[in-house]
Amino acid sequence: MDISLQNIEYRYQAKTPFERLAIKDVSIDIPTGTYMALIGHTGSGKSTVLQHLNALLLPTEGTVVIGNHEVKAKQKNKNLRQIRQKVGIVFQFPEHQLFEETVEKDIIFGPMNFGVSEAAAKERARLALKQVGLAEEILEKSPFDLSGGQMRRVAIAGVLAMEPECLVLDEPTAGLDPRGRKEIMDMFYSLHKERNLSTILVTHSMEDAARYADQIVIMQEGHVVKQGTPVEIFSSVSELVDMGLDVPEVVRFQRSLEEKLGIKLGATYLSIEELSSAVAELLRGAPV
Amino acid sequence: MMEKMIIGRYVPAESLIHRMDPRSKLIIIFLFVCIIFLANNMLTYVLIGIYTFLMLGLSRIPFRFLYAGLKPVLWLVLFTLLLQVFFTKDGSLLYELGPIKIYEEGVRQGIFISMRFFFLILMTSLLTLTTTPIEITDGLETLLNPLKKVRFPVHEMALMMSISLRFIPTLMQETDKIMKAQIARGVEFSSGPVKERIKAVIPLLIPLFVSSFKRAEELAIAMEARGYRGGEGRTKYRLLRWKLADTMQLLILAILTILLILLRS
Ligand SMILES: Nc1ncnc2c1ncn2[C@@H]1O[C@H](COP(=O)(O)OP(=O)(O)OP(=O)(O)O)[C@@H](O)[C@H]1O
Ligand SMILES: [Mg+2]
């Protein structure tokens, strides 16, 4: 399902003294199967953009096209539910949305709201639980008796069980331990590959953006300031630093290596493996 | 979702009303609520209206915003008006259509009562629109201080009030966030059959309760960790200052009161 944001603007609390322009003239195209990372300083409007992707916020200017639905500013928009069924969103700290007596009931809540039968929903719950790496025994427990990390996984399972065609992730691993982080990010990535899901990830981790994304969009003060592949984006280190953003450790290492040795490697490498083989290549070819 | 609500919200601005001492504002509101009952004819109501709009003008709160925020309350005012008009059966008959009879007294009462209601709402909104919650609590605490003599827990009341006021925006944010999360999971809050909509409240309320209790516990621990021991011997960081403008405002209100007493019938 292709998604396209066309010159959208959003004002919070429009027409009150508290009015606040959060994003302006944002255009982003997300073809089916893209893994897009959205990065930017805090307050740059990333979460605001995300909420347009499943019509939780309706633009105050511009058009959002989601599959064959069109959401236009200043119009009565219908069929928002169909959009929400196709686009699953994992909010920051999604464990706050848990409310049912048991984990199972909470996971099947979403699918059943969209008309999936109870039996089928339970089947999906089992599958989703396995995907997020939890044991089946947990199904009968109360979500409030779980640890923070387990609650997070249950909440994510609740979104996965809706079987969306597009996954929208707002810092889904904030506050988790490094291993849990990697597990969850890898899980999203393999789902993305297996089901050809479009995935849009907001993250403050440049490592994650470099590792998983095909496309990176940088936002600053409500505008899109740059878009490109990870290699394109991370090639200009000083520009990123000027925007108050970080670069992946590998890139930083490569830059200081180049400076120290007074050399220039052919490209920007985003993984340790690539960089080390490039360096090895260089050393092998270098005159002794 | 609740973005247009203005009841209980503070709008920062530079104005005569904003700069007043919260104590004088509280006293004026209290007295205003009393003297509004002095009005009983058109002239006195007009007088109160002039006073109210004068105060609104001085506060520099945009009218457009006030109107948008108070629209739901205006429906309530209209409802009171209609109730009076249709159900008072005094005075001479003005109009008759089948079972509907409208009497002179009904129209009179209706207009007066809804005006009274309207002015009261405007003035009390003006208080919260121009005074920060902290100022209101400080003002109340100082005004109620004499009650400590009769063992009334003034400080605790004020603390409770300031904590609740402090957490209203947080709670609103949280409500908005959880609502969005549940809408994304297919809940319909604003359409569909009534029964479904009532059921939709559960996925909202439970997470809100859970997080409120958690927050209350964290707050209690944080206060204890910083050595909070109640109001005994506690000094204040913000000092209240009674200024000339406050005295003037009280004077204006006194003049209004005298005029009302002279002009009422
Ligand atoms: N409910 C709201 N009401 C008013 N203003 C808001 C609201 N939510 C966000 N904003 C404002 O909109 C701007 C963009 O906020 P947004 O949450 O999209 O930023 P973000 O890029 O997601 O930041 P972060 O990285 O901290 O999550 C900010 O300036 C913020 O103050
Ligand atoms: Mg955000």
Side-chain angles (χ1 to χ4, degrees):
Chain A
M1 193 176 48
D2 299 342
I3 296 181
S4 152
L5 306 177
Q6 294 161 2
N7 309 93
I8 60 167
E9 175 204 275
Y10 188 79
R11 290 170 193 274
Y12 282 102
Q13 321 199 27
K15 302 195 184 87
T16 73
F18 308 101
E19 176 170 313
R20 196 183 167 112
L21 180 64
I23 55 172
K24 174 120 185 92
D25 203 18
V26 168
S27 299
I28 305 177
D29 277 316
I30 311 165
T32 312
T34 313
Y35 196 127
M36 180 171 283
L38 204 54
I39 61 180
H41 212 262
T42 175
S44 56
K46 304 180 296 292
S47 301
T48 309
V49 169
L50 281 198
Q51 289 172 44
H52 284 85
L53 299 176
N54 73 342
L56 281 175
L57 293 179
L58 306 177
T60 47
E61 288 291 341
T63 308
V64 183
V65 182
I66 304 167
N68 43 21
H69 299 276
E70 207 170 71
V71 179
K72 272 206 165 84
K74 299 176 189 127
Q75 276 189 9
K76 269 261 173 248
N77 289 293
K78 293 177 298 184
N79 302 331
L80 298 182
R81 256 172 86 83
Q82 290 172 17
I83 296 176
R84 292 183 185 136
Q85 182 171 15
K86 288 180 183 162
V87 182
I89 181 163
V90 176
F91 280 96
Q92 225 169 352
F93 302 105
E95 55 272 27
H96 293 165
Q97 74 196 31
L98 299 175
F99 74 99
E100 278 284 10
E101 295 157 58
T102 69
V103 168
E104 182 173 47
K105 281 191 187 165
D106 211 286
I107 298 180
I108 64 175
F109 179 70
M112 285 185 59
N113 278 332
F114 288 117
V116 174
S117 75
E118 190 169 342
K122 283 186 172 171
E123 200 42 54
R124 287 187 185 192
R126 239 160 277 272
L127 179 69
L129 208 63
K130 211 164 97 198
Q131 279 165 340
V132 298
L134 291 176
E136 251 184 49
E137 292 89 76
I138 246 178
L139 279 177
E140 295 309 316
K141 282 200 183 171
S142 158
F144 299 108
D145 290 341
L146 304 178
S147 77
Q150 287 172 321
M151 283 168 85
R152 176 79 54 95
R153 286 164 195 253
V154 169
I156 292 175
V159 176
L160 295 184
M162 297 181 355
E163 302 193 341
E165 293 172 33
C166 171
L167 254 186
V168 175
L169 311 167
D170 196 348
E171 298 181 47
T173 57
L176 288 186
D177 62 297
R179 207 179 105 203
R181 250 183 151 100
K182 182 154 184 338
E183 277 173 17
I184 289 187
M185 289 313 298
D186 283 344
M187 184 272 302
F188 282 131
Y189 190 66
S190 58
L191 269 182
H192 163 77
K193 283 284 170 224
E194 273 165 34
R195 300 195 192 161
N196 198 28
L197 288 180
S198 308
T199 307
I200 297 97
L201 168 75
V202 164
T203 182
H204 284 288
S205 154
M206 299 302 134
E207 261 74 29
D208 284 351
R211 183 174 312 129
Y212 301 110
D214 316 319
Q215 281 285 314
I216 296 181
V217 171
I218 304 183
M219 293 205 54
Q220 194 175 24
E221 289 171 10
H223 295 271
V224 171
V225 287
K226 205 162 180 222
Q227 174 168 2
T229 63
V231 171
E232 285 164 10
I233 294 285
F234 292 122
S235 291
S236 41
V237 176
S238 56
E239 198 180 337
L240 283 169
V241 173
D242 285 345
M243 285 189 252
L245 294 173
D246 214 355
V247 285
E249 221 171 354
V250 187
V251 178
R252 235 179 306 146
F253 179 79
Q254 182 183 342
R255 288 289 176 265
S256 42
L257 188 74
E258 289 175 340
E259 230 166 78
K260 282 251 161 61
L261 300 182
I263 51 161
K264 198 98 188 116
L265 293 177
T268 302
Y269 299 99
L270 293 178
S271 71
I272 298 178
E273 293 78 26
E274 287 172 340
L275 179 62
S276 54
S277 55
V279 172
E281 190 78 17
L282 184 83
L283 292 178
R284 226 176 279 131
V288 185
Chain B
M1 320 258 149
M2 288 165 283
E3 291 184 341
K4 290 231 166 68
M5 276 278 286
I6 63 161
I7 296 172
R9 268 173 96 168
Y10 172 69
V11 182
E14 266 300 310
S15 85
L16 220 72
I17 308 282
H18 281 79
R19 279 197 298 272
M20 278 169 69
D21 189 304
R23 285 172 297 182
S24 64
K25 288 196 246 189
L26 284 163
I27 294 173
I28 286 174
I29 294 293
F30 179 74
L31 293 177
F32 182 82
V33 173
C34 299
I35 65 166
I36 199 167
F37 288 97
L38 287 174
N40 64 355
N41 56 23
M42 216 50 205
L43 191 60
T44 43
Y45 271 106
V46 167
L47 219 64
I48 288 193
I50 293 175
Y51 176 76
T52 310
F53 281 97
L54 183 75
M55 291 301 137
L56 278 180
L58 284 178
S59 74
R60 303 228 175 131
I61 307 270
F63 274 96
R64 196 177 60 137
F65 168 63
L66 257 180
Y67 172 71
L70 290 178
K71 227 190 286 175
V73 188
L74 286 181
W75 284 110
L76 212 64
V77 173
L78 196 70
F79 181 69
T80 345
L81 175 70
L82 293 181
L83 218 63
Q84 288 296 328
V85 168
F86 287 125
F87 293 104
T88 309
K89 306 222 177 302
D90 261 343
S92 56
L93 190 66
L94 284 183
Y95 183 79
E96 188 172 355
L97 186 94
I100 300 169
K101 292 195 176 84
I102 292 174
Y103 294 88
E104 193 190 333
E105 194 61 19
V107 175
R108 228 174 75 93
Q109 286 293 330
I111 291 175
F112 284 172
I113 288 178
S114 49
M115 269 167 87
R116 188 186 294 161
F117 193 28
F118 180 61
F119 294 145
L120 278 177
I121 291 166
L122 280 181
M123 282 298 276
T124 39
S125 318
L126 194 60
L127 173 72
T128 51
L129 284 170
T130 62
T131 322
T132 61
I134 293 285
E135 279 181 319
I136 297 184
T137 354
D138 276 357
L140 262 185
E141 189 174 355
T142 327
L143 284 176
L144 294 181
N145 228 359
L147 289 182
K148 272 193 185 146
K149 294 243 162 54
V150 292
R151 297 263 181 120
F152 184 78
V154 176
H155 173 76
E156 284 72 14
M157 291 289 289
L159 182 73
M160 263 165 59
M161 198 170 131
S162 61
I163 290 179
S164 338
L165 288 171
R166 155 66 185 80
F167 279 103
I168 286 175
T170 315
L171 202 67
M172 296 279 240
Q173 265 176 14
E174 193 111 335
T175 310
D176 188 58
K177 208 195 114 171
I178 295 171
M179 255 172 126
K180 279 179 179 162
Q182 308 297 25
I183 290 173
R185 293 210 282 167
V187 177
E188 296 263 8
F189 286 105
S190 49
S191 59
V194 177
K195 195 174 144 232
E196 290 298 311
R197 265 198 263 179
I198 293 172
K199 257 173 53 192
V201 176
I202 297 170
L204 177 63
L205 280 189
I206 291 179
L208 274 181
F209 270 113
V210 170
S211 71
S212 300
F213 281 123
K214 219 181 273 168
R215 193 166 288 127
E217 203 176 307
E218 279 163 11
L219 183 68
I221 291 173
M223 283 169 74
E224 215 161 312
R226 290 189 223 171
Y228 177 79
R229 273 178 293 110
E232 217 50 54
R234 210 175 154 81
T235 52
K236 284 219 181 303
Y237 173 61
R238 291 171 301 270
L239 292 176
L240 301 177
R241 277 212 188 80
W242 190 278
K243 292 173 287 284
L244 185 63
D246 297 296
T247 316
M248 294 306 281
Q249 283 281 3
L250 276 178
L251 221 61
I252 295 174
L253 193 76
I255 294 169
L256 177 72
T257 315
I258 293 169
L259 283 177
L260 286 179
I261 293 173
L262 291 178
L263 296 173
R264 73 194 297 260
S265 46

